[in-house]
Amino acid sequence: MSTKSKIKIATLQGKWTGDFDSNNAWYVEQARALKGKGYDLVVLPELFHTPYFPFEENADFFDLAIEKDNPLVAQWQGIAKELNAVVVFPFFEKRARGIYHNSAFVFERDGSIAGLYRKSHIPDDPAFYEKYYFIPGDTGFEPIKTSAGTLGVLICWDQWFPEAARIMSLKGADVLIYPTAIGWMDSEPKEIYPRQQDSWTTVMRGHAIANRTFVVAANRIGTEGHLTFWGTSFVSAPDGYFIEKCAPDFLGVSTVEIDLAETEENRRWWPHFRDRRIDLYKDILKIWCE
């Protein structure tokens, strides 16, 4: 598939509006404002079409899941075609009765489905009770080839695992993309807030550096229940440098242009893949080394 070297990226940083129609309408309006402006890639946050419901275990929230033939999916396929842009569309997927995933479609410029990723690492922490809702994904770490580059799509909790980023990169991902929904609990001491947020950006910038590739993170903002999401969506260069970074309360579209040729340049100067010692890495397949 033909890919341009320079890619224009739009990251949507939104918040839950309180109802499904107005929430989706806001994202649609933000996306359609990009029409005719030459954007190649549009990234939406994790579970953007719902509130962040895993703050508690409640069986009624399964009703929020949508199947792959839901009109919302078709609508955003149409938006990809309108914009002539690749769209990363995260959603709460109902795969079958009793089988639910935290997933993301990638739509090609013509509205066709380029690929699907299902979240692999599922957290179970206070206010993030995702194991109650989501079955671990079975798609593996397979980059999705598009006209906006080969995309290594991962979702939120996946961002803490260097193995996922490495495998995506080894398989040719040009960009690692992390739709996410992360924030602070109001019961946590506020003095640790900056440290938590810094950990979140640092680990993904580390993936950029270790793999010498671009990273895009799209987070939500706003307060939902006892969670306040910290926004700070960003794009990192292959050396970890912030090319673009949103404020914690920014509401709207963040845009940037990247040049995929930087990866080749970085990997010539910093040949991490050349120097890997795969003969010494067998222990990585163990749960713990006794």
Side-chain angles (χ1 to χ4, degrees):
M1 182 176 292
S2 176
T3 303
K4 301 188 299 182
S5 174
K6 294 185 177 180
I7 305 296
K8 290 181 70 174
I9 300 173
T11 304
L12 277 62
Q13 181 167 290
K15 66 178 180 179
W16 173 245
T17 63
D19 69 86
F20 296 96
D21 290 341
S22 67
N23 185 76
N24 186 57
W26 183 86
Y27 281 100
V28 169
E29 179 183 18
Q30 299 299 311
R32 283 185 168 148
L34 301 169
K35 186 176 180 179
K37 297 181 179 179
Y39 284 92
D40 301 290
L41 177 62
V42 177
V43 182
L44 298 163
E46 179 188 22
L47 300 172
F48 81 97
H49 66 103
T50 73
Y52 184 76
F53 53 88
F55 71 91
E56 67 177 4
E57 296 181 354
N58 184 337
D60 291 341
F61 288 142
F62 287 108
D63 293 337
L64 302 177
I66 61 176
E67 297 182 72
K68 292 191 284 187
D69 61 353
N70 188 276
L72 185 69
V73 177
Q75 180 186 25
W76 278 90
Q77 288 181 270
I79 290 171
K81 190 172 182 178
E82 283 182 45
L83 302 182
N84 189 34
V86 174
V87 173
V88 179
F89 172 87
F91 67 110
F92 182 16
E93 179 190 0
K94 181 179 181 181
R95 186 174 183 179
R97 286 175 291 185
I99 304 293
Y100 299 85
H101 292 284
N102 188 335
S103 303
F105 270 132
V106 176
F107 302 137
E108 190 43 272
R109 297 175 192 267
D110 62 0
S112 62
I113 295 173
L116 171 69
Y117 174 72
R118 294 184 173 121
K119 187 173 181 176
S120 300
H121 303 93
I122 311 297
D124 188 63
D125 297 318
F128 296 91
Y129 298 112
E130 295 194 12
K131 278 187 168 65
Y132 179 78
Y133 298 98
F134 309 130
I135 293 174
D138 58 354
T139 51
F141 305 124
E142 298 294 336
I144 298 169
K145 292 184 177 180
T146 78
S147 58
T150 301
L151 310 181
V153 179
L154 299 160
I155 298 175
C156 203
W157 195 242
D158 291 328
Q159 67 212 356
W160 302 102
F161 297 86
E163 299 88 347
R166 176 69 92 197
I167 292 170
M168 284 291 196
S169 299
L170 286 172
K171 291 184 175 182
D174 294 313
V175 184
L176 299 175
I177 298 176
Y178 295 95
T180 185
I182 190 167
W184 300 291
M185 291 176 56
D186 57 17
S187 60
E188 295 176 303
K190 288 184 171 52
E191 57 265 26
I192 72 170
Y193 283 9
R195 297 176 64 161
Q196 288 181 330
Q197 188 183 76
D198 186 65
S199 292
W200 178 75
T201 55
T202 299
V203 73
M204 287 182 282
R205 293 171 66 203
H207 300 329
I209 296 165
N211 297 291
R212 293 290 154 174
T213 194
F214 290 92
V215 166
V216 178
N219 195 20
R220 67 169 73 195
I221 68 168
T223 298
E224 300 177 41
H226 47 273
L227 285 172
T228 298
F229 297 93
W230 64 47
T232 323
S233 304
F234 70 89
V235 178
S236 168
D239 60 358
Y241 180 77
F242 284 122
I243 307 173
E244 177 70 14
K245 183 181 177 184
C246 297
D249 58 352
F250 174 77
L251 183 65
V253 181
S254 173
T255 62
V256 70
E257 183 176 78
I258 66 172
D259 189 346
L260 298 179
E262 284 189 36
T263 294
E264 175 68 23
E265 181 181 4
N266 265 260
R267 289 180 181 175
R268 290 182 181 185
W269 283 96
W270 299 90
H272 305 320
F273 288 99
R274 182 197 67 189
D275 296 338
R276 293 176 68 239
R277 288 292 308 278
I278 59 173
D279 56 315
L280 301 179
Y281 298 161
K282 291 186 286 294
D283 284 344
I284 200 69
L285 297 177
K286 297 179 182 179
I287 292 176
W288 191 253
C289 297
E290 303 297 342

